């Protein structure tokens, strides 16, 4: 099969790899029809994570089931499905909460060097009854792809930010997760949303969706706009030291900083005393993907949440290297890139 891989040098290419084998009686093989490049994939290219062998990339996939194990009860060959980006065993008390991160055996992420990557013609899915979801009626391919990761992450970030209805929130970083967090914050009742990003075209895009665009450094502008207090909540969709520092400074005393940006492997020097004195809540979240589906799908089906415009590019799988180059540019023109098979 064809699969997108990254070498230790950071070079991306499409290579021929062995077809995956069925991952046990509870597993399934999915023929991928559509996948996408995520901002967290870029960490492999930027050298933030060590690569020993070439890594098969990607954790967002929509496709068709082509094989199931004998223990799979909820799916059959021919079913069109979306795949949770985070995998759990599906059997433990943690997975019973529908949050694979709580899996007592330890969660795994597709395309991280352990499970195969979703940017491939075929994807082996363990515990298929837990990981898969039949694409619901009225849900487009692009919406389904966002449900595998980015929208689930943005939604979880906004919920864990404890934004009061009618309150204020700052979104730091306007990539696809940040934009999904922006849409989620508005859906959850935020009245004022400040959208922070160095790229002007991304700020303009956010402004069209109801936010106030601010170029970094943004702390002073946010405090001036909130009477010196700061916002009720900040969602950090970047995860660098600088972004976390700004988020802590921009939130008001007693507020919440919700971090979903992926940090590198270096320790972060938390200003613990200042956070304690200001009674801040700081939450770091990997999305409980399956847990978000019952909430998000009806909102999408009824048009209560708009995610149009998140995807800006569609390329064939063979042009994955071109797609990664566009994603690495972090321009407003290339917000979210879909790879079609």
């Amino acid at each position: 099969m064809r699969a997108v891989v990254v070498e230790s040098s950071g070079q991306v290419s499409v290579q021929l790899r062995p077809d995956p084998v069925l991952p046990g009686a509870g597993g399934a093989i999915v023929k991928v029809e559509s996948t996408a490049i995520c901002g967290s994939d870029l960490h492999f290219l930027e050298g933030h994570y060590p690569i020993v062998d070439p890594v098969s990339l990607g954790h967002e996939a929509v496709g068709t089931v082509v094989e199931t194990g004998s223990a799979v009860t909820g799916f059959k060959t021919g079913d069109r499905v979306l795949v949770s980006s985070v995998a759990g065993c599906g059997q433990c008390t943690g997975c019973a909460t529908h949050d694979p991160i709580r899996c007592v055996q330890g969660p795994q992420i597709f395309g991280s060097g352990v499970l195969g990557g979703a940017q491939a013609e075929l994807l082996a899915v363990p515990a298929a009854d837990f990981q898969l979801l039949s694409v619901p009626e009225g849900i487009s391919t692009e919406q389904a792809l966002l449900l595998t990761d980015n929208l689930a992450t943005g939604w979880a970030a906004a919920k864990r930010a404890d934004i009061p209805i009618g309150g204020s929130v700052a979104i730091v970083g306007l990539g696809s997760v940040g934009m999904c967090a922006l849409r989620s914050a508005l859906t959850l009742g935020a009245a004022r949303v400040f959208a922070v990003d160095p790229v002007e075209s991304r700020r303009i895009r956010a402004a069209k969706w109801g936010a106030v665009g601010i170029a970094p450094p943004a702390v002073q502008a946010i405090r001036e706009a909130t009477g010196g207090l700061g916002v009720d909540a900040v969602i950090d969709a970047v995860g660098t030291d600088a972004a976390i520092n700004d988020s802590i400074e921009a939130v008001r005393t007693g507020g919440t900083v919700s971090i979903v940006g992926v940090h590198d492997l270096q320790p972060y020097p938390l200003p613990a005393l200042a956070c304690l004195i200001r009674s801040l809540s700081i939450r770091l979240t990997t999305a409980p993907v399956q847990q978000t589906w019952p909430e998000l799908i009806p909102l999408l089906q009824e048009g209560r949440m708009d995610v149009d415009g998140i995807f800006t590019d569609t390329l064939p799988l063979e042009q994955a290297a071109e797609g990664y180059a566009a994603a690495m540019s972090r321009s407003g023109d290339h917000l979210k890139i879909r790879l079609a098979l």
Side-chain angles (χ1 to χ4, degrees):
M1 69 172 183
R2 295 175 301 152
V4 180
V5 301
V6 61
E7 309 280 350
S8 58
S9 63
Q11 181 178 355
V12 174
S13 62
V14 177
Q15 299 181 7
L16 289 177
R17 306 286 288 246
D19 289 354
V21 298
L22 195 67
I29 302 293
V30 173
K31 181 179 180 181
V32 178
E33 69 175 62
S34 193
T35 181
I37 298 172
C38 178
S40 58
D41 294 327
L42 305 184
H43 286 275
F44 288 105
L45 280 67
E46 295 171 323
H48 295 160
Y49 303 144
I51 299 175
V52 178
D53 298 313
V55 173
S56 177
L57 289 169
H59 49 262
E60 304 172 9
V62 173
T64 302
V65 175
V66 294
E67 185 180 359
T68 59
S70 59
V72 176
T73 60
F75 301 91
K76 64 183 184 304
T77 299
D79 286 348
R80 188 165 182 264
V81 295
L82 59 93
V83 187
S84 169
S85 58
V86 186
C89 74
Q91 303 295 323
C92 68
T93 55
C95 289
T97 68
H98 302 289
D99 181 358
I101 293 300
R102 300 188 184 189
C103 179
V104 298
Q105 296 185 26
Q108 297 180 342
I109 300 175
F110 290 96
S112 61
V114 180
L115 296 179
Q119 294 166 17
E121 291 180 298
L122 296 170
L123 180 65
V125 181
D129 284 327
F130 182 64
Q131 257 71 255
L132 299 181
L133 178 72
S134 294
V135 177
E137 182 179 353
I139 296 297
S140 70
T141 297
E142 291 186 351
Q143 289 173 333
L145 277 173
L146 291 174
L147 285 167
T148 68
D149 179 16
N150 286 181
L151 182 55
T153 300
W155 179 254
K159 288 191 70 177
R160 285 174 60 81
D162 291 335
I163 307 164
I165 295 176
S168 58
V169 60
I171 313 292
V172 179
L174 301 177
S176 56
V177 169
M179 292 296 193
C180 286
L182 188 160
R183 301 292 183 91
S184 297
L186 292 170
T187 300
L188 289 168
R192 301 181 73 191
V193 180
F194 300 96
V196 181
D197 197 280
V199 180
E200 183 182 14
S201 57
R202 291 192 175 193
R203 298 196 303 270
I204 292 172
R205 187 184 298 270
K208 291 179 180 178
W209 294 340
V212 177
I214 301 177
V219 173
Q220 182 176 350
I222 289 172
R223 288 200 167 271
E224 288 176 353
T226 55
L229 297 176
V231 286
D232 294 306
V234 178
I235 297 171
D236 173 18
V238 178
T240 62
D241 287 4
I244 298 172
N245 289 340
D246 286 351
S247 298
I248 290 172
E249 291 185 32
V251 75
R252 68 180 57 198
T253 296
T256 299
V257 175
S258 177
I259 302 170
V260 289
V262 179
H263 199 271
D264 59 27
L265 296 178
Q266 301 303 312
Y268 169 68
L270 176 72
L273 180 58
C275 293
L276 181 146
I277 291 172
R278 296 176 60 209
S279 295
L280 299 185
S281 296
I282 300 177
R283 292 171 170 166
L284 295 92
T285 305
T286 298
V289 179
Q290 290 88 327
Q291 206 175 84
T292 69
W293 289 340
E295 299 170 334
L296 289 170
I297 289 168
L299 291 171
L300 292 170
Q301 289 173 321
E302 299 300 325
R304 302 298 183 183
M305 177 175 283
D306 176 16
V307 292
D308 290 347
I310 299 291
F311 280 94
T312 53
D313 305 79
T314 298
L315 296 172
L317 186 73
E318 287 297 333
Q319 294 182 25
E322 179 182 329
Y324 270 92
M328 286 286 287
S329 74
R330 292 183 170 86
S331 75
D333 295 329
H334 305 294
L335 185 62
K336 179 73 172 173
I337 298 166
R338 183 166 73 93
L339 300 175
L341 287 83

